[in-house]
Amino acid sequence: GMVDLNGPRGGVDKRCQLQFVYGQEKPLVVTETNRNIFAAVNRAFSVATQFVRRRIKQRHQRIRAATRPDLTVPALITN
């Protein structure tokens, strides 16, 4: 949601709060406050986008690690 905290008095008082639900995780709540509502919205979406990208990358890395074949070479035994 968006709100003007100080009303007509002005100042750094435009707040944008976004909530994202990503899979089974707790919802991500991003709150940004700025003098300009458009800047607050832009920054909130930027922060949320970075978070989601990191989570997707982590998920892909876990999947890749789980499906990677075991490439260990057995030791040669010489007698």
Side-chain angles (χ1 to χ4, degrees):
M2 295 180 282
V3 65
D4 186 345
L5 300 172
N6 293 335
R9 292 181 290 173
V12 181
D13 65 339
K14 311 299 189 283
R15 179 179 291 161
C16 174
Q17 185 173 47
L18 305 174
Q19 179 175 334
F20 294 88
V21 178
Y22 184 72
Q24 299 297 321
E25 298 181 24
K26 295 187 306 185
L28 166 67
V29 178
V30 178
T31 304
E32 288 293 330
T33 305
N34 195 295
R35 182 178 306 272
N36 180 303
I37 190 63
F38 297 107
V41 169
N42 187 44
R43 178 70 182 140
F45 270 102
S46 178
V47 169
T49 299
Q50 290 172 5
F51 174 82
V52 171
R53 284 183 178 156
R54 278 194 308 269
R55 289 301 168 119
I56 290 171
K57 184 177 179 179
Q58 291 169 354
R59 182 172 287 171
H60 284 288
Q61 289 172 341
R62 282 195 305 269
I63 291 170
R64 207 173 309 131
T67 59
R68 188 174 298 147
D70 184 13
L71 299 177
T72 57
V73 178
L76 296 175
I77 301 175
T78 58
N79 286 358

